[in-house]
C-alpha cells in the first residue's frame, strides 16, 4: 500500500451567505463549503484525519494508508464560529497554532481590520495618508492599505498602534480573534490541539536567539495559564526560519515545527522541526488531491 502523510495549512473560514471574501490571497481564506469538501476526502480518497500527535505515531511506525492533519494558523474567531461546528459534526480533529498576543489583545489582525474598516466606512488613514474606496475602488483600496502598513512596519504590535491612531472604538475589532473562552470550549470537545505560533507573531529570522526563545516560551506560558496545557507543537510565523531559528527550537521541548513548504511528508526522509504542509486554496480541491493520488 501507499503511504501518504500530509498536513493542510488553513487560516480563515468565511460564509459567503454573510459576506463576500475580500482576501487578496485566496490561500488565506476558504469558504465553509470548501472546508466540507476537504473533509469529504475521507470518502473520495480514503483519508483518515488525525491529530498532530497521532500523525507523529503514524510516521514513526511507517503505517500504510493516507493520513492528514488539519491546521489553522494565528487564531481567528471564525475558526470557532464557522469551522468548529463543521469539524465537530464530523468528529474531525484539528490543530490551531495560536499567537497568544491575539486573545491577549497585545497585537491585532491588522489586515482583517483594514478590510473591515474600508468595507464599512469607505476610507482609512494610515501614516498620514487617506485611502479612499471612492477613488480607488474597494479591492484596490484594500491592496494599497495592506502594502502601506507593511511599508511602515511588519511588527504586529507597531501595526496595531498605527491603526489605533485613526480608528474609533478600535477595541470593537477584537472580535476578529479567538478568545480564551472560545478556545476552552473547543478543547472540551476533545478535537482541538493547541500549538505554538509565538506571542506577537514576528519574523523569527529577524530576532536574536534570546528573543526567539522568549517569544516561544511566553506563548507557551500564556497557553498554560489560560488552558492548562503544555504546547509542544510549533508553526513558524510567516513560515520563515533559518539555521539560527532551528538551533533555538532544537534546544527547546518542542516535538514538531511546521513550515509553509508545500509537499507531502516523506516517511523515509523527514525532520520533525521543518515539516512541510499542503496549502488549501479556496475552491481548488485539486491543489490538495494532486499530492495524494
Amino acid at each position: 500500500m501507499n503511504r501518504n502523510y500530509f498536513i493542510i495549512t488553513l487560516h480563515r473560514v468565511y460564509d459567503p451567505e454573510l459576506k463576500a471574501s475580500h482576501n487578496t490571497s485566496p490561500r488565506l481564506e476558504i469558504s465553509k463549503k470548501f472546508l466540507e469538501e476537504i473533509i469529504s476526502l475521507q470518502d473520495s480518497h480514503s483519508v483518515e484525519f488525525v491529530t498532530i500527535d497521532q500523525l507523529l505515531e503514524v510516521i514513526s511506525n511507517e503505517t500504510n494508508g493516507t493520513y492528514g492533519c488539519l491546521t489553522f494558523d494565528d487564531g481567528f474567531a471564525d475558526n470557532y464560529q464557522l469551522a468548529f461546528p463543521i469539524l465537530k459534526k464530523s468528529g474531525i480533529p484539528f490543530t490551531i497554532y495560536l499567537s497568544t498576543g491575539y486573545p491577549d489583545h497585545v497585537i491585532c489582525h491588522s489586515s482583517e481590520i483594514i478590510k473591515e474598516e474600508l468595507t464599512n466606512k469607505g476610507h482609512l488613514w494610515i501614516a498620514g495618508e487617506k485611502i479612499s474606496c471612492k477613488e480607488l475602488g474597494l479591492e484596490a483600496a484594500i491592496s494599497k492599505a495592506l502594502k502601506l502598513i507593511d511599508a511602515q512596519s511588519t511588527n504586529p504590535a507597531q501595526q496595531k498602534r498605527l491603526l489605533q491612531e485613526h480608528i474609533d472604538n478600535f477595541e470593537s475589532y477584537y472580535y476578529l480573534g479567538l478568545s480564551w473562552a472560545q478556545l476552552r470550549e473547543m478543547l472540551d470537545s476533545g478535537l482541538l490541539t493547541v500549538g505554538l505560533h509565538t506571542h506577537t507573531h514576528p519574523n523569527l529570522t529577524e530576532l536574536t536567539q534570546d528573543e526567539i526563545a522568549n517569544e516561544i516560551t511566553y506563548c507557551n506560558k500564556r497557553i498554560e495559564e489560560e488552558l492548562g496545557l503544555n504546547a509542544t507543537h510549533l508553526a513558524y510565523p510567516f513560515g520563515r526560519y533559518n539555521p539560527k531559528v532551528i538551533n533555538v527550537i532544537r534546544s527547546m521541548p518542542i516535538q514538531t515545527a511546521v513550515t509553509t513548504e508545500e509537499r507531502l511528508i516523506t516517511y523515509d526522509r523527514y525532520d520533525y522541526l521543518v515539516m512541510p504542509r499542503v496549502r488549501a486554496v479556496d475552491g481548488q480541491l485539486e491543489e490538495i488531491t494532486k499530492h495524494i493520488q
Side-chain angles (χ1 to χ4, degrees):
M1 289 183 63
N2 290 331
R3 296 169 185 162
N4 291 323
Y5 312 141
F6 64 96
I7 303 170
I8 296 179
T9 307
L10 301 164
H11 287 80
R12 296 203 67 183
V13 178
Y14 74 97
D15 185 344
E17 294 183 2
L18 299 178
K19 75 173 188 72
S21 171
H22 293 301
N23 203 316
T24 54
S25 178
R27 66 185 293 177
L28 298 181
E29 188 174 47
I30 65 168
S31 68
K32 288 172 55 180
K33 180 177 180 294
F34 188 61
L35 178 59
E36 291 170 341
E37 290 177 9
I38 293 174
I39 292 173
S40 74
L41 292 173
Q42 291 182 114
D43 299 321
S44 63
H45 287 71
S46 300
V47 174
E48 182 174 348
F49 288 105
V50 295
T51 68
I52 188 70
D53 289 296
Q54 290 170 332
L55 187 63
L56 278 183
E57 184 176 351
V58 163
I59 296 170
S60 297
N61 294 334
E62 299 184 5
T63 306
N64 291 329
T66 301
Y67 294 87
C69 183
L70 297 182
T71 64
F72 295 82
D73 287 6
D74 301 334
F76 289 98
D78 52 49
N79 296 176
Y80 166 80
Q81 297 158 345
L82 299 177
F84 179 52
I86 295 171
L87 298 167
K88 185 178 180 181
K89 181 180 179 181
S90 300
I92 302 294
F94 61 102
T95 296
I96 293 178
Y97 291 109
L98 179 69
S99 287
T100 49
Y102 291 125
D104 281 351
H105 302 156
V106 174
I107 55 177
C108 66
H109 294 288
S110 56
S111 60
E112 311 309 313
I113 291 173
I114 286 171
K115 295 167 195 173
E116 295 279 348
E117 191 77 1
L118 287 170
T119 300
N120 296 332
K121 298 182 180 178
H123 68 274
L124 176 65
W125 287 87
I126 297 178
E129 181 173 346
K130 183 179 181 180
I131 300 169
S132 171
C133 294
K134 185 176 181 180
E135 295 177 4
L136 301 172
L138 178 58
E139 297 298 334
I142 290 172
S143 179
K144 181 176 180 179
L146 292 174
K147 290 177 182 177
L148 182 58
I149 196 165
D150 282 343
Q152 295 296 314
S153 175
T154 57
N155 180 285
Q158 292 179 11
Q159 288 189 346
K160 178 187 177 185
R161 288 192 287 272
L162 285 169
L163 291 174
Q164 276 184 307
E165 292 176 4
H166 300 291
I167 296 178
D168 295 330
N169 300 316
F170 183 84
E171 292 76 10
S172 66
Y173 282 115
Y174 287 154
Y175 81 93
L176 289 167
L178 283 168
S179 69
W180 290 114
Q182 290 169 333
L183 285 157
R184 291 186 198 102
E185 183 179 337
M186 289 189 287
L187 273 174
D188 287 343
S189 73
L191 297 172
L192 173 63
T193 299
V194 178
L196 304 158
H197 203 39
T198 73
H199 185 58
T200 66
H201 202 281
N203 180 348
L204 293 178
T205 65
E206 297 176 350
L207 305 185
T208 67
Q209 290 186 332
D210 285 345
E211 289 170 335
I212 294 167
N214 289 339
E215 275 285 340
I216 296 169
T217 299
Y218 191 71
C219 178
N220 196 31
K221 178 175 181 290
R222 292 297 295 128
I223 289 172
E224 187 172 9
E225 290 173 344
E226 295 289 344
L227 305 177
L229 300 173
N230 179 35
T232 60
H233 302 287
L234 170 76
Y236 299 108
F238 309 107
R240 294 173 185 166
Y241 64 94
N242 59 16
K244 174 183 64 177
V245 175
I246 296 295
N247 285 339
V248 175
I249 302 304
R250 289 197 191 283
S251 70
M252 306 181 79
I254 291 175
Q255 288 184 277
T256 68
V258 295
T259 69
T260 53
E261 181 184 352
E262 296 174 16
R263 61 178 175 84
L264 290 177
I265 300 165
T266 306
Y267 67 88
D268 59 348
R269 182 178 60 83
Y270 53 82
D271 183 336
Y272 286 141
L273 297 186
V274 286
M275 296 182 76
R277 291 190 284 179
V278 176
R279 68 173 177 169
V281 181
D282 194 28
Q284 298 181 32
L285 196 62
E286 65 275 9
E287 287 295 318
I288 298 174
T289 59
K290 71 182 182 182
H291 293 282
I292 57 175
Q293 295 298 334

